[in-house]
Amino acid sequence: MKIRSLGSVNLARVFLCGVASVALTLPFAAQAQDAGTAEDEDEAFGNEIIVTATKREATLQEIPVAVSVATAETLAREEIRDLKDLQTIVPSLRVTQLQSSANTNFIIRGFGNGANNAGIEPSVGVFVDGVYRSRTAAQINDIPNVSRIEVLRGPQSTLFGKNASAGVISLVTSAPSFTPEGSAEFSYGNLDALVARGYVSGPVSEDVALSLAGGFSSRDGYNVDPASNSRTNERDRWFVRGQALYDNGDNFTARLIADYDSIDENCCGVVNVRQSPATLAIFALGGMVNDADDPYGGLVYNNFPSTNEIENYGVSGQFDLDLNDVTLTSITAYRETDAAYAQDVDFTSLDLLGRFQDQKLETFTQEFRVSGQWGPVTALGGLFYFDEKIDEFQDIVIGNSFRSYADLSAGGNGSGSTVQFIEQTIGALYGDPTQYIGQFAAAGLAETGTFQLSNDALSIFGQVDIELSDRLVLTLGGNYTMDKKRAVTDYEASDVFSSIDLYDAGNRAIYATGVSTTVGNLLMLGRPATPAEVGAFAANNPAAFQLVSAGAQAFADANDADPNVNPFLVGLPLQLFPPFINIPNSVEDGKTDDDDFAYTIRLAYDVNPDLNLYASYATGFKASSFNLGRDSRPLASDAAALESAGLLVNNLEYGSRFAGPETSEVIEFGLKGNWDVISANLTVFRQDINGFQSNIFTGTGFLLANAGKQRTYGVELETLANPIDPLTLNFAVTWLDPEYVSFEQSTVGDLSGTTPAGIPEWTVVMGAQWEQDLGNGDLLTARTTYHFESDVAVLEGLPGFLDGGQAAAIAAAAPYRRQVDELSASLTYSFIDLDLDISVWGRNLLNDRYMLSLFDSPGQPKSISTYPNQPRTYGATIRKRF
């Protein structure tokens, strides 16, 4: 189904098709309503759920925003432990965890990036109890007593600021209770998985209530690593969280939260999906990689286990003062993250390459809000201040096997003699045959240094809802954001071989060979002339030698880029650590200063108490991002200025220093219906992101660039029905039709007019829950959910194949596709009198395996690697409430 070429005409057609799909449910809704239900009228169902998506409490039915909600019951029944599991119940959300235990990418409607590079803020903002978390950890089991999770789809910058250009994920937890209560949970599953959590809350005085929670999660890894005698993708984390609530019983509340969590894990397994001659060299040296034909066999190879030691901690305070017509709110928060990472980045059992990283983030946020209602006008306004500092230290180390591997790759036998010959030859070309001896591909430090980023931002926002009639509401909102960043790098690439200009060295060698051969022929030696003989010929025949020299130089200049003529070009794939230019410098100041006005215009109409319609136009904004990593490189447009300043170095790469601002806009039509025992929400939209900050993981770093424009047409439908008392049915589907309208500077060339990879056309979530009263007061609840994503390319192309042109890079990635078919289920026996639940559950019961990403294997030309998804998990859980 393709509609993009027909523009607004087809947008209307999609809207009408969507309305028709909802209309098909109306007869069923009417029948269900006529049949009645025994459900307690006070229990929130479907669109009656209270949400705070617009920073004010209202039901899901009342809020004219595209938002999905996962309640506490849903999270428990689905055994959702991580935010990455949330995608199995929210079809427009996709979550991937790649490089480490702490980094997660959230993608809504096909848009989102950032969490795997500390300098790039995500396009999807994550908030926990109103506090913005700029860098998200990949778990929610450090957040106990979750009341609900709200997923707001589309640009939300009007109320949530600069990093919500694609959407928002808001986690809301229960405040401390003035009625004593608590809970305990223990779970055991396959892979020796253990989860234990406890929560207690109650009053300490008439005005003050406290709560305390803690827990841990551990699990063996699902990938075996024989070389390092370990398992990857394990779990080993724990948390503690305390709250205090002051409520004077009148008009003032204060809520204080302090939390700490720790992670110490071996993550994340990488497997090979395509071998190459480089793989044969690894085998020849006794190394191992997994069978590329069996990437899901649970076998990975690293010469040392990865390190993911992460500490997250923070405090926050929310203060609310009700002055009758006006409510004042203040939310203050400070958070820190300290992390240490280590990873074998060649992903083989050989000691080739290792990456070591220390990271510290300090984040302070302050929000002030004022809200109120005056007759037909409801208004909200405020300020949001953001201050963050990032310090990152990185080392890249060349291992003890790398020289032998390089020797084989250069045509040698692995002894190092060929590399030594190259060292002598290149050294001689530059005046001293001994100057490079022992330095090419030598074990030791290849790169080291620090990256720092400071970020200050201020947003002024406001939104007004005007009741034009008792059924029609006009919403106008705006957000003016100022964002300043400063990046400082002190990084050095010390690998000698990577600093050699192999084209220049080859040019010199071709020239010398040409002169020697020609002089030998002129002297009829039957062999190339020696340097002494060439010198004598030049002295005795200067005119002839000038012609010989000119001819040899012309031939060298014409052929130094031909690998069939230049013998040194075979070493290009092993020049992994090109020299680095630090910022700030005399050309690049390392600063960005952005500002933007994002806004929302929306009309909402209540057809009747059960059916609401809305139409909206909204914009979003994401500030410039810096690449805080080894791939941070100047723009090609700065080359001339860098040369004039004397800053150019051999083998300098361009184009991935930073990406400019990202802006978004969405045209959206929505329908929300709530018919007693069935609810249905339909959204039809066209969403554009201009300057989308594309961030491609290469295995050892990131390539950051602005895509010109990405556009997506889409339809989202979510329904929930309770046709008879024991049965609840849910069905949700998302249809997306994305396109790179313009993307000239991608990592594999111009992708304008093509379909972005990784965005499925269809995503479907359907489920059913049967809650059976056993007659003795106890309940038996069976629940199942099916999550489907249609077949899609994993990646547009692989940069490591560009030597064959763009077509070759695209063709190399083409065979690797992903389709998701995941089935989850649970069965729970509830002892009502005991407040005790015993559950058995399983996730991904079909053991559906697929690729989360695709990238060139580091240091292994024409080899391809991927991160595989998590296999089947299952277990049993006991929960006690008191």
Side-chain angles (χ1 to χ4, degrees), residues 22-36 610 673-680 720-723:
V22 172
L24 293 176
T25 71
L26 296 184
F28 172 69
Q31 293 171 9
Q33 188 171 6
D34 291 341
D610 299 323
N674 200 49
W675 298 278
D676 218 9
V677 296
I678 185 171
S679 64
L720 185 67
N722 183 205

Side-chain angles (χ1 to χ4, degrees), residues 114 117-121 135 390 452-454 483-489 583 588-594 623-629 632 656-660 693 695 704:
N117 187 321
I120 306 173
E121 295 168 295
R135 304 296 183 274
I390 301 173
Q452 296 177 314
L453 182 69
S454 60
D483 183 272
K484 293 184 178 181
K485 291 186 175 73
R486 175 177 174 80
V488 177
T489 68
I583 54 175
E588 303 169 286
D589 62 10
K591 297 179 182 179
T592 61
D593 189 351
D594 304 320
S624 298
S625 290
F626 277 94
N627 191 342
L628 288 193
S632 177
S656 189
R657 181 77 83 189
F658 74 97
Q693 295 175 3
N695 184 42
L704 175 65

Side-chain angles (χ1 to χ4, degrees), residues 557-623:
D557 292 344
N559 292 276
D560 59 10
D562 185 347
N564 296 313
V565 181
N566 184 344
F568 299 129
L569 297 186
V570 68
L572 285 175
L574 299 177
Q575 288 191 311
L576 300 173
F577 315 102
F580 196 88
I581 295 179
N582 284 299
I583 54 175
N585 55 58
S586 59
V587 176
E588 303 169 286
D589 62 10
K591 297 179 182 179
T592 61
D593 189 351
D594 304 320
D595 69 303
D596 180 81
F597 180 73
Y599 58 94
T600 297
I601 303 171
R602 181 170 57 237
L603 273 176
Y605 181 69
D606 295 340
V607 178
N608 56 50
D610 299 323
L611 182 63
N612 303 338
L613 304 175
Y614 71 89
S616 68
Y617 176 84
T619 67
F621 170 69
K622 177 181 171 183

Side-chain angles (χ1 to χ4, degrees), residues 335-418:
R335 301 199 60 81
E336 285 193 16
T337 298
D338 294 301
Y341 307 102
Q343 188 174 35
D344 174 6
V345 291
D346 58 86
F347 311 119
T348 76
S349 65
L350 281 185
D351 184 13
L352 299 179
L353 302 170
R355 180 179 64 88
F356 303 86
Q357 179 182 7
D358 292 325
Q359 187 181 87
K360 184 177 183 66
L361 291 83
E362 299 174 278
T363 308
F364 172 80
T365 59
Q366 174 63 60
E367 181 176 5
F368 294 108
R369 290 201 308 265
V370 55
S371 60
Q373 183 171 358
W374 301 272
V377 177
T378 301
L380 177 149
L383 299 171
F384 179 78
Y385 175 70
F386 175 84
D387 182 7
E388 184 168 72
K389 294 178 176 58
I390 301 173
D391 290 283
E392 189 165 302
F393 175 82
Q394 296 182 18
D395 274 348
I396 304 289
V397 175
I398 296 176
N400 292 321
S401 301
F402 193 78
R403 186 174 174 91
S404 297
Y405 171 70
D407 191 80
L408 276 176
S409 300
N413 59 10
S415 66
S417 59
T418 299

Side-chain angles (χ1 to χ4, degrees), residues 50 71 237 290 407 448 460 475 620 674-675 741 781 849:
I50 299 295
T71 64
R237 52 185 67 171
N290 65 283
D407 191 80
T448 185
I460 304 170
T475 298
N674 200 49
W675 298 278
V741 178
T781 304
R849 305 306 306 275

